[in-house]
Amino acid sequence: MYSSTDNSETQNKHWHVLVFMIAVVILFAILLLRLFSLQYTHYDENLQRSDNNRLRKVELIAERGYIYDRNGIVLVRNRPSYQIALQAMNMPRKKAERDSVFNRLLRITDKNGVRMFDSLSLDTAFQRSRWIKNRPIRFLEDASPEQVAIIEERSSELPGVVTVIESRREYPYGTLASHVLGYTSEISEEQLKLPEFEGYSQGDRIGQKGLEQGYDQEFRGKNGVKLVEVNASGREIGPVKGIEGEAPVPGLHLVSTLDLKLQKVAEEAIPDSAKGALVAINPRNGEILAMVSSPRLDPNIFSLKKRERNKGWAQVALDAMHPLTNRAISGTYTPASVFKLVTAGAGLESGILSESKYYSKPCTGGYQYGSRYQKCWGTHGNLNVVNAIRLSCDVFFYQAGLDIDMARINEFGRRFGLGETPLGVDIPGEKGGWLPDSASFNKKNKRLGWRWARGLILNLSIGQGQLVTPLQQAVLVGALATNKGVYRPHFMKELRDKDGNVVRRYEPEIIRPGKMKEETHRVLMNAMDSVVNHPGGTGKRGAVPGIRVGAKTGSGEWKKGEKTHAWYAAVAPLDNPEIAVAVIMEAAGGGGAVSGPIARKVLMAYFGKEDEK
C-alpha cells in the first residue's frame, strides 16, 4: 500500500515530465516555425544574403575620352599603366594574417636592394581596404616590368595583392596647350565633400584644370561591373557562370577648336622663360584657335608614380614664375592704349567725336589739368581721332575722356566684352576685369582712403587703371571688327562617341550686343588699319603681306621704375575678320616692338605665309 508521500512524489514526477514535454514541443514548434520562415517566408531575402556572401561586385573602370585638335590630331590620349594594389575581397580576414602580408610587402626589395614600397603608402592602402571592397586600392603606381614580375612570383605568399592594368592620361606634345588641356589626378578628400562631386568615390581619377576638368563628366563615361564568386575565406574563385555583368561605357571624345599648327607657332614665339599670354580667336563664332600662357608646365608629371609626381608638383607649386596660372584667362592687367579704341568708340557713338574733330590744345608733350601736368609719350601736334589712335597720342585722349565721361566709355567697353562679368569660356578659372566708376572706385579703395576725382579720367581714358584679361582683349578687337556681336569664347567643337558619331555640337552664342553705328565702325577700322599699315603707325611690326591687318598697341604701367607690360591686339582681314589675336608680355617694354612680332608670327601661320619675310 502506497503512502501519501509516495503518491505526491509520483505526481510531481509526472508534472515535471509534462512540463518538459510541453517545453520540448514548444521548442520544436519554434524551430519548425523558424525553419518555415527561413525557407518560405524569407526565402528571397535569405537567398540574396547568401549570394551577397558568395558573390562580389568588381567595378570596371571606363576608358576616358580623348581630346583632339580641330583637324582630328590627338592632343590627349590614354596609355596602359601597371598598378600594384590590394583587392579587399581576396585579403585575409584575420588581423594577424593581414599584418603578415603587410610586413612581407615591406621587406620586398628590387634588384638594387631598394625597398619597393614605403610604409606610409602601404598603411594608407590597408586602412582603406576596410571599407573599399569592390575596387583595387593602389599603393604603387606605374610599376615597372621588374616590379610586376617580383609581385607575380610571390603571389602565393601575398594574398590580396594584385597587379592591375589601368589607363593613365598621356599628353604626347608635353607642355603644348597645357593650360588649356589641364591634367588628371586622384580626387581629394576635400573634393569628395563638395556637392558637384556627388557620385564620385575615393580613388577616382578626375580632371583638374582646363578641358580635363571642364568636361570631366563627358570624359569619364560609365563604369561597368562584373560578378565574381568568392569562397568562405573571401578569396576570389572566378567569374560567375550564367550571370553577365555590365560592360563599361567609354567616355566621349572631344574635338576641340584648337589648331595644333597654330598652337605650336604661338608657343614657339613666346619663350618659356618669360611671363606672358596669347589668345587667338575666331570672332565670327567664338572658337579659340590657340591659347598660350607662359611659363608652361608638362601635365604628364601628374600621371607619374607618386614619388615622381610629388617631386614634379613641388617644383611647379614653388616656382616663383607661377606656371600653374593660366594668364590668358585669369591674369588681369591694365589694358593700356588698346583701351583707346573703347574711348574713341564711345566718343564716336555719342557724337562727341568725329573724324573731322580736332581739339584746340594740340599735343606738345603733355596736358595741363588744374595743377597737374599729365605727360604724353611723344609730341604729336594737332590730330583727329584716326591719327590719335595711329600715333597712340595720350593728350588727344585726355581731352576726349573728359568730354565723353566714364559712364559712356564703360558702357561701350561692356558692349564689346570688357567688364567684371567673365565671358564664360568652357574651362575653369576665368576672371572678369574691372571698369571703374566713382562708386566702384571708392569701394575698392576705401581702406586706402582714396576718393574718386574727375582727374582720374585722364588715366582711365588711355587704359591706365582698368583691368582686363588677354581673352577679353582678343574678344574686344575681334568684336569691334565684325560689328555683329560678341560670341562666347569656347574650346569645344564637337563631342563624339567611341564610334566617331557626333553626340553634341557647340552652337555659337552671342553674349554681348557688340554693335555700333556704321560710321563709328568705319572710323575705328580706318584707325586700326593705320596703326599697322601707315609708315608712322605704332603697330607696323605686325603687318602681314597681302592681308589687311588692323591692330592697337599698348604699354601698360604696373610698377614705378619697371618696364611696362607689352600689349598687341590685332584682327585680320579687316574687311572680313577671321582671326583676332591678343598678346601680352609682362614687364617687357613697348607693345609694338615686343608683342607685335609675336602676333605677326601667328597671323603669318594662319594665312599660310610662314615662308615669307
Side-chain angles (χ1 to χ4, degrees):
M1 189 173 190
Y2 294 103
S3 67
S4 59
T5 302
D6 292 337
N7 188 41
S8 176
E9 288 178 358
T10 302
Q11 288 181 352
N12 286 337
K13 287 180 181 180
H14 289 164
W15 176 250
H16 289 158
V17 170
L18 180 62
V19 170
F20 178 76
M21 293 292 293
I22 292 172
V24 169
V25 169
I26 292 174
L27 179 61
F28 273 98
I30 292 173
L31 290 174
L32 288 171
L33 287 172
R34 180 59 178 160
L35 185 62
F36 179 83
S37 174
L38 290 173
Q39 291 189 346
Y40 294 96
T41 307
H42 296 94
Y43 174 80
D44 292 336
E45 178 185 342
N46 292 323
L47 180 63
Q48 183 65 49
R49 287 182 179 178
S50 175
D51 284 343
N52 287 343
N53 289 330
R54 183 176 63 90
L55 307 178
R56 291 283 170 83
K57 291 181 179 180
V58 177
E59 192 171 21
L60 304 174
I61 307 300
E63 186 83 355
R64 195 170 176 86
Y66 285 21
I67 302 177
Y68 299 86
D69 92 327
R70 64 188 303 110
N71 299 309
I73 301 172
V74 176
L75 300 178
V76 183
R77 61 194 178 199
N78 301 319
R79 63 173 174 84
S81 172
Y82 286 100
Q83 320 290 318
I84 309 300
L86 295 179
Q87 188 71 65
M89 69 175 67
N90 293 334
M91 294 182 65
R93 294 184 177 179
K94 294 181 179 179
K95 184 178 182 303
E97 293 178 1
R98 291 167 65 94
D99 289 345
S100 176
V101 173
F102 181 93
N103 291 326
R104 288 192 192 114
L105 286 169
L106 274 183
R107 290 194 295 267
I108 295 177
T109 59
D110 60 19
K111 62 182 179 181
N112 298 317
V114 178
R115 280 188 176 184
M116 280 177 50
F117 313 109
D118 66 87
S119 57
L120 180 60
S121 297
L122 278 178
D123 185 63
T124 301
F126 272 74
Q127 292 293 333
R128 290 170 61 183
S129 70
R130 295 180 179 179
W131 65 85
I132 300 177
K133 302 294 184 182
N134 64 339
R135 65 166 64 185
I137 303 160
R138 300 177 294 266
F139 58 87
L140 180 62
E141 304 171 85
D142 261 347
S144 66
E146 178 201 350
Q147 292 170 326
V148 171
I150 292 173
I151 294 299
E152 293 296 330
E153 288 172 3
R154 304 188 180 197
S155 59
S156 60
E157 47 186 274
L158 297 172
V161 179
V162 296
T163 301
V164 294
I165 301 178
E166 291 183 356
S167 64
R168 286 292 172 94
R169 277 314 221 193
E170 184 175 49
Y171 305 85
Y173 296 100
T175 62
L176 188 94
S178 56
H179 292 91
V180 174
L181 301 175
Y183 59 92
T184 62
S185 67
E186 189 171 321
I187 191 169
S188 67
E189 292 184 7
E190 291 74 20
Q191 288 174 317
L192 280 171
K193 297 174 184 176
L194 300 176
E196 58 262 38
F197 292 104
E198 185 178 355
Y200 288 73
S201 303
Q202 196 165 40
D204 283 346
R205 295 189 69 84
I206 64 169
Q208 309 278 11
K209 307 285 186 181
L211 291 170
E212 292 278 29
Q213 181 178 343
Y215 290 90
D216 186 67
Q217 287 287 346
E218 288 79 2
F219 289 141
R220 288 186 76 204
K222 183 180 178 183
N223 291 344
V225 64
K226 71 174 181 178
L227 291 173
V228 298
E229 189 172 3
V230 297
N231 60 20
S233 301
R235 296 189 180 183
E236 183 178 335
I237 299 173
V240 181
K241 295 180 180 179
I243 302 179
E244 293 187 5
E246 186 177 342
V249 178
L252 298 177
H253 302 308
L254 185 145
V255 179
S256 73
T257 61
L258 289 175
D259 186 312
L260 177 61
K261 174 185 172 184
L262 208 63
Q263 183 73 27
K264 284 182 176 180
V265 170
E267 298 210 12
E268 289 169 1
I270 299 178
D272 200 42
S273 58
K275 293 181 182 179
L278 179 149
V279 177
I281 191 169
N282 182 345
R284 299 171 300 180
N285 56 21
E287 290 184 353
I288 299 174
L289 306 173
M291 179 178 283
V292 180
S293 178
S294 181
R296 298 172 281 279
L297 74 158
D298 187 350
N300 285 302
I301 65 174
F302 300 101
S303 295
L304 299 176
K305 60 183 65 176
K306 187 173 183 180
R307 185 177 300 175
E308 296 173 9
R309 183 174 68 242
N310 290 346
K311 182 179 179 181
W313 170 257
Q315 290 177 343
V316 169
L318 298 174
D319 192 330
M321 298 279 281
H322 303 294
L324 282 171
T325 301
N326 185 350
R327 289 172 164 82
I329 64 169
S330 61
T332 52
Y333 309 87
T334 182
S337 292
V338 177
F339 194 79
K340 290 172 182 174
L341 295 171
V342 176
T343 302
L348 292 164
E349 280 289 273
S350 62
I352 294 172
L353 294 181
S354 69
E355 195 171 10
S356 59
K357 180 171 182 175
Y358 291 79
Y359 278 102
S360 58
K361 294 182 180 179
C363 175
T364 57
Y367 179 74
Q368 190 72 42
Y369 181 77
S371 60
R372 175 181 175 188
Y373 185 74
Q374 197 86 353
K375 290 183 178 181
C376 183
W377 71 275
T379 302
H380 304 109
N382 217 353
L383 304 171
N384 68 355
V385 64
V386 172
N387 290 330
I389 290 174
R390 171 172 61 85
L391 298 172
S392 202
C393 177
D394 292 341
V395 169
F396 178 92
F397 284 98
Y398 293 153
Q399 298 174 82
L402 291 170
D403 280 352
I404 302 164
D405 201 62
M406 289 312 299
R408 292 191 184 97
I409 296 172
N410 288 345
E411 185 279 326
F412 191 85
R414 289 191 175 92
R415 196 191 306 179
F416 286 89
L418 303 186
E420 296 74 16
T421 305
L423 295 166
V425 68
D426 51 348
I427 58 174
E430 184 195 0
K431 289 184 179 179
W434 183 46
L435 297 179
D437 54 18
S438 58
S440 64
F441 182 89
N442 290 341
K443 182 179 179 180
K444 186 172 184 178
N445 296 289
K446 184 177 180 180
R447 289 197 308 166
L448 300 173
W450 296 352
R451 300 285 298 172
W452 175 269
R454 184 166 169 76
L456 290 170
I457 295 177
L458 274 68
N459 283 336
L460 295 172
S461 65
I462 63 170
Q464 303 290 349
Q466 301 91 337
L467 292 174
V468 299
T469 65
L471 177 62
Q472 285 180 322
Q473 291 278 63
V475 166
L476 168 69
V477 295
L480 287 174
T482 61
N483 199 27
K484 293 181 179 178
V486 174
Y487 285 87
R488 187 182 303 281
H490 62 277
F491 289 101
M492 190 270 274
K493 192 174 181 69
E494 293 176 346
L495 287 171
R496 298 181 178 180
D497 64 18
K498 62 182 179 64
D499 299 317
N501 301 311
V502 176
V503 176
R504 190 198 318 167
R505 282 193 177 93
Y506 189 93
E507 296 296 331
E509 176 189 3
I510 293 179
I511 56 172
R512 305 278 179 89
K515 292 183 180 180
M516 56 189 140
K517 298 174 184 176
E518 285 301 320
E519 178 62 12
T520 302
H521 183 252
R522 183 189 66 80
V523 174
L524 286 181
M525 293 306 99
N526 286 341
M528 292 179 70
D529 177 80
S530 68
V531 168
V532 178
N533 302 306
H534 190 284
T538 58
K540 58 188 177 183
R541 294 191 183 186
V544 175
I547 303 294
R548 190 182 176 216
V549 178
K552 185 67 192 80
T553 61
S555 300
E557 297 177 3
W558 66 285
K559 190 175 182 181
K560 192 172 181 179
E562 297 287 345
K563 285 185 177 181
T564 56
H565 295 329
W567 276 111
Y568 196 93
V571 62
L574 269 181
D575 51 352
N576 185 25
E578 297 179 23
I579 181 172
V581 181
V583 181
I584 185 169
M585 299 300 293
E586 294 185 18
V594 177
S595 296
I598 295 173
R600 181 179 188 270
K601 289 180 180 179
V602 173
L603 292 172
M604 292 282 282
Y606 179 83
F607 291 107
K609 296 178 177 289
E610 301 98 316
D611 297 331
E612 298 182 27
K613 293 184 179 180

